[in-house]
Amino acid sequence: MTSHGPVMPIWSCGGCNLPWPCPTRRRELRAEYADAPVSLALYLGAYLIQASEDMAWAPAGTLHRRFIGWTRQPPEVQQRSVTRRSQPNSLL
């Protein structure tokens, strides 16, 4: 059992206090659902619905990226895109 579960209604991580799902929980979920990516999206979609009710002030696109959007990219692609965005004057 993970200690990186959501703390509701603020949706922070109970293990590291980052926005949930935190990087650790994302890695755990990728491993748990390695052979079932659609099931992972459905699982996270249920959390997205709950979070959107708790955080009605948050933009829908932001919540979608936070809860589901990251599942569409392999972990190494996510890391490269974060690095590129942090470099000034880089062409994407």
Side-chain angles (χ1 to χ4, degrees):
M1 186 71 180
T2 184
S3 64
H4 291 270
V7 176
M8 300 172 216
I10 59 172
W11 291 89
S12 64
C13 176
C16 62
N17 208 32
L18 292 172
W20 193 89
C22 67
T24 299
R25 187 61 182 139
R26 289 180 183 194
R27 281 190 302 276
E28 292 171 349
L29 287 168
R30 279 192 188 279
E32 286 178 48
Y33 289 89
D35 296 325
V38 174
S39 295
L40 174 58
L42 291 170
Y43 173 77
L44 290 169
Y47 278 117
L48 171 63
I49 292 168
Q50 291 177 17
S52 66
E53 292 171 359
D54 290 339
M55 299 186 294
W57 48 267
T62 301
L63 290 176
H64 180 272
R65 281 187 300 279
R66 176 175 165 181
F67 283 86
I68 299 174
W70 63 270
T71 64
R72 296 185 55 127
Q73 295 180 332
E76 54 279 350
V77 171
Q78 288 179 14
Q79 184 59 40
R80 283 195 307 260
S81 91
V82 168
T83 304
R84 284 184 186 154
R85 278 187 243 139
S86 66
Q87 295 173 354
N89 301 323
S90 66
L91 298 175
L92 298 180

